[in-house]
Amino acid sequence: MTVRGTITPLNAKALSPGLNRRQINQALKDSEAMSVAFIGQERAREALAFGLGVDTKGYNLYVMGEPSTGRFSLVKDFIERQIATLPPPEDWVYLNNFDEEREPVVLRMAPGEGRELVKDISGLIDDLLDTFPAAFDNPGYQRKKSAIKKAFEKRYDEAIDSVERYAQAHEVALYDESNAISFAPIVNGKPITDDEFAALDADKRQYFYDLIDDLENRLSESLLGLPAWKRACSEKIRQLDKDTAELGIKPLLKNLEHKYANQLGVLKTLRKMRTHLVETIVSLLAEENKDEKPDDIDRRLYLEEQYLPNVLVGHLLEDSAPVVYEANPTYQNLFGKIEYTNIHGSVYTNYRMIRPGALHKANGGYLLLDADQVIEQPFVWEALKLAIKSGSLKMDLPQQDVGMVNAITLNPQPVDLKVKVILLGSRDLYYTLQDYDDEFDELFRVLVDFDYEIPVTRQSTFDFVGKVRHQVEAAGLSGIAPKAMYRLVEYSLRMAEHQEKLSAHFAQVIELIHEARYFAFQQKSSQLELAHIETALNAKKRRTGRVSHALLNDIKEGHVLIATEGKAVGKVNGLTVLEVGGTAFGTPARITATVYAGANGVVDIEREVELGQPIHSKGVMLLTGYLGNKYAQHFPLTLSANIALEQSYGHIDGDSASLAELIALISSLTEIPATQSLAVTGSINQYGEVQAVGGVNEKIEGFFDLCQHRGLNGEQGVVIPKSNAINLVLDKGVVDAVKKGLFHIYTVETVDEAVCLVLQKEAGEMSTRGRYQKNTVNYHAVNRLYNIALMVNGGDDD
């Protein structure tokens, strides 16, 4: 047609990006490319370097971007490179508080000294077990102990002897059996039995009764001080035990005190430990009368529980600042926890059962968190803000754990906190936190904004190839062929839907590499070739293509009415994109319009039945604005029209069908048939300018697949906005068909250009007199609208 010929279709070269193969080949040979951390993202790189470099409270970072854009791996890799030269932070050690066991003491130590202290205290315990109870078997100790006992026994014997002499003087015998003293009368020089005593006369018996009572009173008076003597004896033995224990402990602790002379905190602990240790040694190792004496293992465990330091966080001198990512930031995972054990039915804990959280591990370094995970966890967000603001990390129990019964709850001393927190989250969450949390901007002052697309430059191409090479090597392949690399670059461009921008979703490129690796290994190839990538892409298309294949079959079998030849009034082929799971595909859809006399305006059937979403409804409402501005400047716009997306039974959103809907409406209004060999996509404004839409590649390929199945006749094609030309990254099949002249892709800037193509008739331009040329589309449209206005509103009497 001559009308279509006035608008030239795109050349095949414009349908896919032009790759700079020389730059790609150079990057394939350059070994420096393998060390690349970022692909593009200059704005994010600058913000990240700034945020990590500012050592001031409140300059924490929020990394904004969508998942699968490589945010985490890129940020973590960049941080590790930045901090490789930074020294490790201090060790944090919890020690037993001998004054108040429920409040363990925290100790800050130089890197590596925490483990060294544990080693030294463990050695001290070994020495104690070697020294005791052997020290109590020493002859000198035994002599002193025997002397104390003999002094007590002598005093006891003297008291008994005085009573015994008095008794014997009055013919009474004294018996001392098993510390039980008894008296027996003596008659005729020998003690008598009970029977003999009963045979005595009453006066004699009464005499002995009175005498024995007197003796018992004398005995009581003599032994009145016995408890005090026994206490004094026990105290002397206890003091001897303490002196002996202290004598053995002193040189052992002296060595440690000398070693840690510059560590005030350790010295204070060792000095407090001395007193406590003496008591422990006496009670644990010096008692002889215990029914069940503890063995060496039990003694060691007891001593370790009392004295062995708990290294909460330890580092080595050769370490650098820590970079910690906590994937599941629950309260305990982030702030640490206190473990418990069960002893005889009661819950018990001590300072050695304190466990670190991610904040402890990242202290002095960097902590990476998923912002949405942090927000969802109970109590975590507020506690995290408090810790950052105060610079102190206190291990409080979360509220849901407070109801424990019979538990010793520890209150450990807080740890000084200096950490750079890096939140990874979406744009929506960032703006939500800004709106609803006044402290957010104060604590997270640095925004690291990741782009969705990366402009194709020499550097970004170099970085992309380097990252691909790194992933290929990590996948166990020896290398990648240049043609395969070209295809991966093109794949990234296709994901970005732009001929001059790479997609930031590098994770999908990695996914494709691993899928292609599977087919490479099947063919026993150690190098990734173009054929492997194409096979992987086709396999994925087949795996995820059931729905798209079923829709295409419905059209082929006539269940869904789509014409690719001929003409029809009020019927235009629109183009839609469907997203199912993680895949998107295009499919044509017939758009129909009817116009009749009335004043109902343009009715969107999809909206009326609540299938049309807000953006789609907005696109349809714009049609009325266009019709009024274009055709009804001198008379009221009056018509009734219905527009529908035929055989669509799901929700519809987006305004990309508004151009096709307008053409269908104009076709029905003017009764000029629209060609069915073309499909249309595009958004319009009220002034008739055609605007870009999304998913243009999938839309074109969806209509092309149908036309190819029915047979390409050289007339078929699609009409897209001119501003979408830069977004074309089409499959090879479409490009080849365009090269052969079997399929065409037209770009338009205005509705009139699209009308010319689809209705195959001149749209018509308005003259200086405000009228359109006769026999043009716009001329017929004005006349029809004017006639409807007369019919509905009535004519002037003039």
Side-chain angles (χ1 to χ4, degrees), residues 214-226:
D214 180 48
L215 287 170
E216 286 179 346
N217 290 333
R218 285 176 177 272
L219 179 64
S220 295
E221 290 175 1
S222 298
L223 297 180
L224 192 63
L226 181 63

Side-chain angles (χ1 to χ4, degrees), residues 598-618:
N600 294 330
V602 179
V603 176
D604 176 17
I605 293 177
E606 311 298 330
R607 181 186 179 191
E608 294 300 312
V609 297
E610 297 184 352
L611 288 179
Q613 299 298 297
I615 297 177
H616 176 263
S617 299
K618 175 187 175 184

